[in-house]
Amino acid sequence: MSESGELSTVDLRILRLLQNDARISNKDLAAEVGIAPSTCLDRVNRLRELGVITGQRAEVDAAKLGRPLEALLFVQVRPHRRALVDSFVEHLLALPEVRAVYHLTGPDDFLAHVATASATELQRLVLDELTARDEVARVHTNLVFQHWSGGPLLPPGSAPSRSGP
């Protein structure tokens, strides 16, 4: 990685591999990209320092945790002001059913991805935690039948081959 923070081909390969398997050992990661383990660790630490790598997470199956019903809730709030937005987001993120929250442009202000135990629980969530709030003007609910995740996120025009490191 250059001093300016520009990502090299090796950095991009490291990012691709880590996004596919964040549990890969440093030794295996270094071998995959063809550099020494100490160099690899330095590069990963630098990617963290630059804020390119922001964390690591475990992906979980919501159904196996007793939350088989997933939905996308499109929420319109009024008035749309900073203090209200901040407190509304805090409220959403404190709810155990909420998996992700997005602030949007367009007719809806927020998109919340939720996972509940049942349709009754989804209804309770919408009625008691969202539409009961004064600032919530509208909630539109879409059920999720199935979802897929995309591949590793890399800068435009820099995607190395998916078939090899």
Side-chain angles (χ1 to χ4, degrees), residues 6-87:
E6 188 176 312
L7 302 178
S8 71
T9 302
V10 171
D11 297 323
L12 296 175
R13 291 168 64 196
I14 288 171
L15 286 172
R16 182 179 52 81
L17 289 164
L18 286 174
Q19 287 180 80
N20 285 331
D21 179 8
R23 294 182 54 180
I24 188 172
S25 71
N26 184 63
K27 179 182 173 186
D28 291 343
L29 181 60
E32 285 282 333
V33 298
I35 58 177
S38 60
T39 302
C40 187
L41 186 59
D42 288 344
R43 284 180 176 263
V44 170
N45 287 335
R46 179 84 170 124
L47 289 166
R48 285 189 180 110
E49 289 170 12
L50 288 172
V52 176
I53 296 175
T54 60
Q56 293 176 218
R57 296 169 187 80
E59 291 186 27
V60 298
D61 184 326
K64 290 183 179 174
L65 292 176
R67 296 179 184 276
L69 185 66
E70 293 188 61
L72 300 175
L73 308 178
F74 294 87
V75 183
Q76 186 180 75
V77 297
R78 292 294 176 259
H80 195 164
R81 290 193 301 244
R82 169 69 63 195
L84 184 126
V85 165
D86 292 343
S87 68

